[in-house]
Each structure stands twice: as C-alpha cells, then as structure tokens.
Amino acid sequence: MRINSKFVAAAFIAAFSPQALANVTVFACEPEYGALAKEIAPQAKIYNATTALQDPHQVQARPSLISQLRRADLAICAGADLEIGWLPMVQMKANNPEVRNGQSGMLFASDVIENLDIPASVDRSMGDVHALGNPHMHFDPKRMLQVAEEVNNRLASIDPDNAASYQANLDDFSKRWQTATEQWQTKAASLKGSKVIGYHSSFRYLYNWLGMKQVADLEPKPGLPPTSAHLAKLVKVAEQQKPIGIIVASYQDPRGAEWLENRTGVKGEILPMSVGADDSVTDLFTLYDSVINKLLELKSNHG
Ligand SMILES: [Zn+2]
C-alpha cells in the first residue's frame, strides 16, 4: 500500500502543532458577538464590524469591512436579516469561501435560537419589520449561551487542534454566565411587570426575560424615526400606562425621548446596546450589569 507522504506530513504537523491555528480570525458583525467569541477564544484576533454607537441595520459596506471579512476564519452575526442591508455585499466583495452562508465559518445567531415575534405576514405598509423575527437577541442570557455553544462547535470544526481549549473556555464561561444569570434575575425581580416606552424593538428579549413590557414605541413604524404627531400621541400613553422610563439604545437619537420626558415627566434613559457603549461596559457581564442597574434606578425613582 502506498502512503501519501503529503498526507502523513500534514497529519504530523496537525498532531504535533497544537498552536498551529491558535490565531483564528473572527469577524463579528456586532460587538456583542465579538465579546462572546473572546470568551471562547481569547487568543483569537477579533474584529468588530460595528460599534455599540452604530445602528446595525444601517451600515456602510466599507473597504475595511471587506478586507477584514476576507481574512476571517469565522464570522458571527445576529442574522434574521439584521445585516441584510450590508453583509451580503461585504461577503460578495470579500470573496472568502470560508464565510459564505451555509459554511461552518458563517454563524448566524438567529439560526441557533428561537426568534421572538416572527410575523404571520409582512407587507410594505408595516414599515421595516423584522420579517424573520426579532434579531436583537443578545439580552437573553439563555439564548446567548446557546450561541456560545455553537461558537464553540464552529471553532472546533475550523481549528480542531485547539478544540479542547475552546471546550474548556466554553465550560468556564457557561459556569460564570449561569451564576451571573441567577444573580441578575434575583436582583431584577422587582422589575417584573414594569412598563417602558421604547425605541424600536431593540430590548425585546431583555423585557421578555425580565417580565417587563414595552407599551409604546417612539418609532411610528419599525425603521422610521419619531415624528411630532406620533410623539404627541405617546403623551397620552405615558399618562395612562405610567411607564418607569423612556428607553433608547446607545445608537439611537435621544431627542424624541427627551421631548417626551419634558412633556410627561417620565424619565428618559439611554441603555448600552452593546459592549463598548461606555467605559464601564467592557464585556457581556458588565453589559448586563449596566442595563439592569439603569432599569432598577428608573424603577426606584418611579416608586
Ligand atoms: Zn431591528
């Protein structure tokens, strides 16, 4: 039997060079997925395509994004069409077969989890609705853990030599994350039943997790900025529903919330949408800490 010497050499290198692919390159569409990748693969080179101060629905397919995706071994994105306006173009121009849809190098979080609010039907009159369900799922700790498990699976398949190390990092993250989740739930128990006015469905999964309710949206329709006619209607909603706050995400224009706060006395608050929104939010743990602390403060001021 002839032995393929190239094959033997490759197998030898794979078996005896555990660090051969230690520097896996990860492209994260949003910083929450960059932060998640860092938990599982701290040695990886991680590039965040957007910041917490940027609207992930509206991103320019810049040359820097294209060159970063071209180098990536793994891309992690929210999916459910959140990035439909820019990612397909970046994928096409990057021309990297590893991160094409359907490859193990292209991970969409929404393919792993159960999406909330999948509409029965969609038509143009409804505005820019999330036709595949809400993609802003990173404030649900259980869903984030499911995504972390899939990040581990993908890394193990892309870089099998380091599979044991990714698995150990996942186990460690999973333990810390579950402990933190219980602490957050205990701490936030008083928020159950609280109402808020929001901007877009950005924190839908957070409210779902904590038992809160967004009773009105500053957007007249999904994807449309607040109008004065719409804000005027919300004055009545605020009086009737008595929300604890008017919540905008760190990337959203706060002026509508400020106007409504001045008219109604309901306090406006900016919540960090992702890691990096301010200096205190350095990872997923401090991100959750920050949003829960801010909501609790609103609640305690509300009485
Ligand atoms: Zn959205």
Side-chain angles (χ1 to χ4, degrees), residues 3-302:
I3 293 173
N4 181 332
S5 62
K6 262 191 198 159
F7 175 79
V8 172
F12 183 88
I13 290 165
F16 294 97
S17 310
Q19 298 306 312
L21 265 173
N23 284 327
V24 162
T25 299
V26 177
F27 177 101
C29 283
E30 295 85 23
E32 57 269 24
Y33 297 112
L36 192 63
K38 200 174 170 192
E39 298 284 353
I40 316 298
Q43 338 74 326
K45 286 182 201 152
I46 298 168
Y47 174 77
N48 291 321
T50 57
T51 75
L53 306 179
Q54 248 179 308
D55 182 347
H57 306 87
Q58 314 276 354
V59 175
Q60 291 281 331
R62 300 189 311 275
S64 62
L65 297 191
I66 294 159
S67 73
Q68 291 293 344
L69 190 64
R70 188 170 292 147
R71 275 177 242 157
D73 303 300
L74 172 64
I76 311 173
C77 301
D81 283 356
L82 175 61
E83 303 92 356
I84 195 73
W86 56 278
L87 184 62
M89 173 72 85
V90 174
Q91 281 174 301
M92 192 185 77
K93 293 200 168 169
N95 197 24
N96 175 354
E98 309 298 323
V99 295
R100 287 202 185 120
N101 291 0
Q103 298 300 309
S104 58
M106 183 67 246
L107 169 55
F108 289 109
S110 56
D111 290 348
V112 178
I113 59 124
E114 192 190 326
N115 296 345
L116 292 176
D117 303 336
I118 300 175
S121 68
V122 174
D123 69 66
R124 280 170 156 263
S125 72
M126 296 158 79
D128 196 6
V129 290
H130 298 124
L132 302 178
N134 188 315
H136 310 290
M137 50 68 56
H138 62 287
F139 283 107
D140 180 314
K142 286 203 185 85
R143 285 177 167 87
M144 267 317 244
L145 195 53
Q146 289 175 286
V147 178
E149 284 160 5
E150 189 58 19
V151 170
N152 173 53
N153 294 341
R154 300 296 178 96
L155 285 165
S157 119
I158 292 161
D159 178 19
D161 296 341
N162 289 302
S165 141
Y166 298 132
Q167 183 65 50
N169 294 335
L170 172 67
D171 293 345
D172 177 58
F173 170 72
S174 171
K175 216 180 281 171
R176 288 182 291 120
W177 190 247
Q178 289 179 75
T179 304
T181 300
E182 279 170 30
Q183 288 166 348
W184 288 319
Q185 282 170 186
T186 307
K187 193 175 174 184
S190 65
L191 290 170
K192 203 168 181 185
S194 295
K195 295 169 182 174
V196 292
I197 291 177
Y199 192 139
H200 192 63
S201 50
S202 300
F203 295 102
R204 170 73 170 99
Y205 289 85
L206 178 74
Y207 303 146
N208 182 60
W209 171 43
L210 298 178
M212 298 174 61
K213 195 170 179 209
Q214 178 169 313
V215 292
D217 195 329
L218 293 170
E219 290 183 325
K221 281 181 185 179
L224 295 181
T227 59
S228 44
H230 181 66
L231 288 170
K233 282 187 210 158
L234 297 187
V235 173
K236 195 160 265 173
V237 176
E239 283 163 2
Q240 286 167 348
Q241 302 273 351
K242 308 210 177 330
I244 62 167
I246 306 157
I247 307 295
V248 299
S250 48
Y251 72 80
Q252 290 158 343
D253 186 340
R255 284 175 297 179
E258 284 161 8
W259 183 89
L260 196 57
E261 175 177 345
N262 290 336
R263 286 295 298 270
T264 62
V266 179
K267 200 169 174 317
E269 182 63 89
I270 298 171
L271 296 187
M273 191 58 189
S274 192
V275 174
D278 62 63
D279 290 346
S280 72
V281 180
T282 54
D283 59 14
L284 292 169
F285 293 87
T286 46
L287 176 64
Y288 275 54
D289 286 339
S290 176
V291 294
I292 288 173
N293 288 341
K294 288 185 173 196
L295 289 172
L296 284 170
E297 204 178 316
L298 287 175
K299 173 80 185 171
S300 75
N301 292 338
H302 186 258

